[in-house]
Amino acid sequence: MSHQIKPHNLIFVLASITSLSTLTGCASMGVEPWERDLLAKKEMALTSSPIDTALDDHIYFSKEASSGGRSFGGGGCGCN
Amino acid sequence: MQLEKHNKTPNLKALLTTATCALLGSATNSASAQDNWELDTALMYYGESDRVTAIEAIIAGQKTYDNDEVLSLKLTLDSLTGASANGAVAQPQAQTFTRPSGNGSYTENAGKTPLDDTFKDTRLQLTGQWTQPLTYAEFEDYTLSIGGNVSKEYDYLSVSINGNLARDLNNKNTTLSAGLAYSFDKIEPEGGIPKPLATMVIGDNDSETFEQAFEQTRIRADDDKKTLDLLLGLTQVINRRMIVQLNYSYSSVDGYTTDPFKVISVVDSEGYTQRYLYENRPNERVKHAFFGQAKYHFESTILDASYRFMTDDWEIDSHTIDLRYYIPLSRGHYIEPHVRYYTQSAAEFYQPFLIQGQVTPTYVSADYRIGDMNAYTLGIKYGMPLNSGDRLAFRVEYYKQSPKSNGTNAIGVLNDVELYEEINAVIAQITYSF
């Protein structure tokens, strides 16, 4: 059992940091404030139904071995 | 009469607002507060065929103040009953187990996956979050959010705090964020914490010799774990129709990660169970998750697609794909089909059973939830506005888990039983927002 970050994990971290910095450099992306009509809709929010997301996260956290990614990992129950 | 009927909803809202403020100890004037509290309530049923049933109720409130500060509060109550797999393999004959508390026993029929029916709990959870833009001139593009969470069930307590800082760039088309969360969990199972890898004592529960032998399998009354989470995120508006998010999350768990209710069968060369050992997991776990989400607004419909890759030092790797498709109907009604696919590889210490005579590993678990598995979800949501401006939604989902072999060959009589039983569950939910 190794508790160190393995090389392949490090590669993922580096790859994601690289993609982050590449994307932030793309100033050509995006819209002007008056073009936000569609994006401003409630249904276009990244988490458009927080209640559904919370319930789903709780189910999958207690039934599967994975958590995290979208927000802070599940928890608050002695399930897994 | 007419007036009474008309006032029904605001009264409920005022009541909930007052209750929420009372919980917070805040002296907010409820008459003015009820105008800008947005409340979501939900009732969810989760039921597995022949196994666990859960009912979960949520009341969530959100209030936006004058300077764009947002207060969110959430109260969750859930109740669990039913049975869950205890880790032991099925056998050609009936099997008897001692309950985790040491009080009494339960018997599983021949050919059936042994289920522990002591799964019974009620959980109460309170979550609060405060989000506000920073007002200092040099930090005007920054948003700060802090929050806390307390969850209590009969034998489990979880307390956590979190903080997050986000920065808007590029005309608010790009948002970078970084967050930290720390949680403390304490488990106090009835009957105490079992000694790792100790053999389960089975016999006459009322006898003094049983009681002494059972005590020998316990090490202490409770145990705890601490979790540190880090979350880095990037949100980018691509164009008028599309927004994407990329997140990296790191989670480090230190402490008791073993399930005190799970055992593993030790079988002879014919596959017959000789005894059951309490499982044992490492005291540390480090997880990395990479999450990407895109939302695309077509002419009228919206596609929400996300993917997560998670890897940890227990050697569990998982992939999750989640797709939702929002389809507006006439007069504000909508439907939203949902598909989710999940697959995970087993923890390196996962074993469906142990073979007598072979060296017992330091860490071992037969819990299918950390074994090889695929899972599928298929669901649909239907939402509608009400005349009062409130919103109502129904959701029905079907969830199927298909555990798989980690490559271990079944031996003897284990070839005739189901070692990786599928689980089918139905999820039904009603959401009312006002």
Side-chain angles (χ1 to χ4, degrees), chain B residues 216-262:
Chain B
Q216 292 291 311
T217 68
R218 305 287 125 171
I219 43 173
R220 53 183 161 272
D222 56 58
D223 214 327
D224 56 50
K225 69 168 184 249
K226 290 143 193 146
T227 308
L228 181 72
D229 287 301
L230 170 72
L231 184 66
L232 299 175
L234 163 77
T235 306
Q236 176 68 46
V237 171
I238 304 295
N239 55 38
R240 197 174 144 255
R241 297 186 178 277
M242 190 177 184
I243 183 165
V244 297
Q245 182 173 44
L246 292 171
N247 285 349
Y248 161 71
S249 79
Y250 167 90
S251 179
S252 168
V253 185
D254 179 16
Y256 191 72
T257 65
T258 300
D259 188 325
F261 307 123
K262 301 285 183 217

Side-chain angles (χ1 to χ4, degrees), chain A residues 1 9 31 36-37 41 43 45-46 52 56 58 60 62-69 76 79, chain B residues 48 56 151 172-173 240 285 287 293 295 297 308 318 340 342 348 369 377 381 395 399 401 429:
Chain A
M1 169 83 32
N9 291 338
V31 295
R36 287 189 173 262
D37 54 334
K41 283 186 178 179
E43 298 81 38
L46 288 163
D52 294 3
D56 284 354
H58 189 210
Y60 299 130
S62 56
K63 296 283 157 194
E64 299 168 354
S66 306
S67 59
C79 9
Chain B
E48 294 174 357
E56 193 157 330
S151 164
K172 294 204 171 180
N173 284 300
R240 197 174 144 255
R285 183 178 181 190
K287 301 185 235 184
Q293 183 187 9
K295 289 196 89 155
H297 198 301
R308 176 186 64 186
S318 77
R340 179 181 184 269
Y342 174 81
E348 60 176 335
R369 296 174 305 172
T377 309
K381 183 177 179 179
R395 188 160 75 121
Y399 177 53
Q401 286 187 313
Q429 184 191 328

Side-chain angles (χ1 to χ4, degrees), chain B residues 371-431:
Chain B
D372 290 87
M373 187 211 296
N374 294 336
Y376 313 86
T377 309
L378 205 58
I380 191 156
K381 183 177 179 179
Y382 172 63
M384 63 174 94
L386 301 175
N387 289 337
S388 53
D390 302 349
R391 296 180 309 282
L392 188 62
F394 302 91
R395 188 160 75 121
V396 182
E397 306 217 303
Y398 167 68
Y399 177 53
K400 182 193 191 80
Q401 286 187 313
S402 303
K404 295 182 294 177
S405 165
N406 66 335
T408 306
N409 289 324
I411 53 172
V413 294
L414 296 180
N415 284 299
D416 306 327
V417 297
E418 184 54 79
L419 288 178
Y420 309 101
E421 199 175 47
E422 287 191 335
I423 293 127
N424 294 289
V426 170
I427 300 159
Q429 184 191 328
I430 303 176
T431 313

Side-chain angles (χ1 to χ4, degrees), chain B residues 105-309:
Chain B
S105 58
Y106 59 98
T107 299
E108 188 56 76
N109 294 333
K112 297 278 189 189
T113 302
L115 303 178
D116 175 358
D117 61 2
T118 57
F119 213 52
K120 198 171 286 181
D121 232 323
T122 304
R123 186 176 72 110
L124 184 68
Q125 182 181 27
L126 182 64
T127 305
Q129 196 80 25
W130 175 263
T131 305
Q132 66 166 76
L134 291 186
T135 45
Y136 306 104
E138 60 268 38
F139 291 112
E140 62 178 352
D141 296 324
Y142 287 80
T143 305
L144 178 70
S145 183
I146 51 168
N149 168 67
V150 182
S151 164
K152 179 73 186 116
E153 57 199 272
Y154 177 65
D155 59 0
Y156 203 89
L157 169 73
S158 179
V159 185
S160 71
I161 49 166
N162 70 76
N164 189 79
L165 192 64
R167 186 184 182 189
D168 291 325
L169 300 158
N170 184 20
N171 213 1
K172 294 204 171 180
N173 284 300
T174 306
T175 305
L176 292 173
S177 71
L180 266 178
Y182 182 80
S183 69
F184 174 84
D185 290 22
K186 184 179 181 185
I187 184 161
E188 213 173 349
E190 205 173 336
I193 301 283
K195 188 176 177 179
L197 309 175
T199 300
M200 176 187 272
V201 184
I202 299 160
D204 178 7
N205 281 250
D206 297 327
S207 79
E208 205 167 295
T209 47
F210 173 87
E211 218 164 273
Q212 282 171 357
F214 181 79
E215 280 309 312
Q216 292 291 311
T217 68
R218 305 287 125 171
I219 43 173
R220 53 183 161 272
D222 56 58
D223 214 327
D224 56 50
K225 69 168 184 249
K226 290 143 193 146
T227 308
L228 181 72
D229 287 301
L230 170 72
L231 184 66
L232 299 175
L234 163 77
T235 306
Q236 176 68 46
V237 171
I238 304 295
N239 55 38
R240 197 174 144 255
R241 297 186 178 277
M242 190 177 184
I243 183 165
V244 297
Q245 182 173 44
L246 292 171
N247 285 349
Y248 161 71
S249 79
Y250 167 90
S251 179
S252 168
V253 185
D254 179 16
Y256 191 72
T257 65
T258 300
D259 188 325
F261 307 123
K262 301 285 183 217
V263 295
I264 182 165
S265 303
V266 179
V267 303
D268 65 14
S269 55
E270 306 282 289
Y272 287 103
T273 298
Q274 303 301 303
R275 58 185 193 277
Y276 313 101
L277 306 185
Y278 292 103
E279 67 155 56
N280 188 31
R281 304 185 191 187
N283 284 333
E284 286 176 36
R285 183 178 181 190
V286 174
K287 301 185 235 184
H288 304 270
F290 301 88
F291 173 80
Q293 183 187 9
K295 289 196 89 155
Y296 191 87
H297 198 301
F298 291 94
E299 209 46 46
S300 62
T301 60
I302 298 170
L303 178 69
D304 178 342
S306 71
Y307 166 76
R308 176 186 64 186
F309 171 69

Side-chain angles (χ1 to χ4, degrees), chain B residues 322-341:
Chain B
D322 194 293
L323 298 172
R324 285 162 210 265
Y325 192 54
Y326 176 89
I327 307 167
L329 306 170
S330 62
R331 301 190 312 278
H333 293 233
Y334 67 90
I335 53 168
E336 190 178 46
H338 173 215
V339 182
R340 179 181 184 269
Y341 170 73

